[in-house]
Amino acid sequence: MKKWIFLITAILFSVSAFSREFVQNGSSMEPTIKAGQTVEIGILSSFGYEPSRWDVVAVKNPQQFNLLVFRVIGLPNETIRLEEDGVYINDEKVKLPEKLIESGVHYLPASAVIKRKKYSNNVYTTDEEEYFLLGDNTVNANDSRFELGIIHRSLILNKVEGDL
């Protein structure tokens, strides 16, 4: 009987240790992740994870004590330029994944969203271990274009699970 109790406890602990649920606050990742939608963030799989372009990742908010979910656009040591006609990495236009195009995702420069001098920059440069993140709802995302800024690798927890 003790073996069964131990086995059940171990299974329950290990299942909750593999991933964590996260409820998306706000619409910054719509249409990919809707406000109020629950997503899974792998915990054990985060060891050895290196973010790739187009991954949707969970990030520790550097200004507050909460998690955020955004898409990786810029990788370390890249120059990212946002224009109304698309995203440029190191002066080459990158094609968005087909799934994003089909769902109507289109990334805009900050100046197209907020008409203030503070947000007139549309070129961003990442250093070693830094990433540029955007929300899929480009007009309603406080992402790397704004106060969030470029994110250090240590703040990225892991990739959000699922086909996003």
Side-chain angles (χ1 to χ4, degrees):
M1 182 67 167
K2 287 182 182 179
K3 287 182 182 180
W4 282 106
I5 292 172
F6 175 77
L7 183 61
I8 291 170
T9 303
I11 289 171
L12 289 175
F13 174 75
S14 64
V15 167
S16 65
F18 288 127
S19 66
R20 280 276 150 82
E21 288 187 345
F22 171 80
V23 177
Q24 174 68 19
N25 272 337
S27 61
S28 64
M29 280 301 294
E30 288 186 4
T32 307
I33 302 172
K34 308 260 187 276
Q37 181 178 339
T38 301
V39 294
E40 294 282 324
I41 302 166
I43 301 298
L44 291 181
S45 63
S46 66
F47 300 105
Y49 167 70
E50 280 306 313
S52 297
R53 192 175 332 280
W54 313 122
D55 283 355
V56 175
V57 295
V59 180
K60 293 182 237 175
N61 185 339
Q63 288 116 17
Q64 299 174 5
F65 189 71
N66 63 342
L67 291 181
L68 304 169
V69 173
F70 288 112
R71 189 173 300 277
V72 175
I73 304 298
L75 302 174
N77 301 311
E78 290 185 333
T79 299
I80 302 95
R81 189 175 85 238
L82 299 175
E83 298 290 348
E84 299 220 16
D85 72 334
V87 176
Y88 293 78
I89 305 291
N90 298 330
D91 289 325
E92 296 212 14
K93 188 173 183 180
V94 294
K95 186 174 192 274
L96 271 60
E98 206 57 44
K99 185 174 270 189
L100 293 179
I101 294 169
E102 289 171 4
S103 63
V105 172
H106 178 77
Y107 299 113
L108 295 171
S111 59
V113 178
I114 298 177
K115 305 286 187 212
R116 279 192 249 154
K117 188 170 177 67
K118 179 178 178 182
Y119 299 117
S120 62
N121 184 24
N122 69 337
V123 178
Y124 309 86
T125 302
T126 56
D127 289 326
E128 199 68 34
E129 294 195 31
E130 291 183 333
Y131 294 81
F132 185 82
L133 310 177
L134 292 176
D136 286 354
N137 184 355
T138 193
V139 297
N140 195 27
N142 186 11
D143 48 34
S144 289
R145 299 169 297 168
F146 302 110
E147 281 81 21
L148 181 66
I150 291 172
I151 293 295
H152 190 270
R153 172 62 183 95
S154 62
L155 296 175
I156 298 175
L157 296 178
N158 200 5
K159 182 177 179 179
V160 174
E161 296 177 2
D163 188 24
L164 304 172

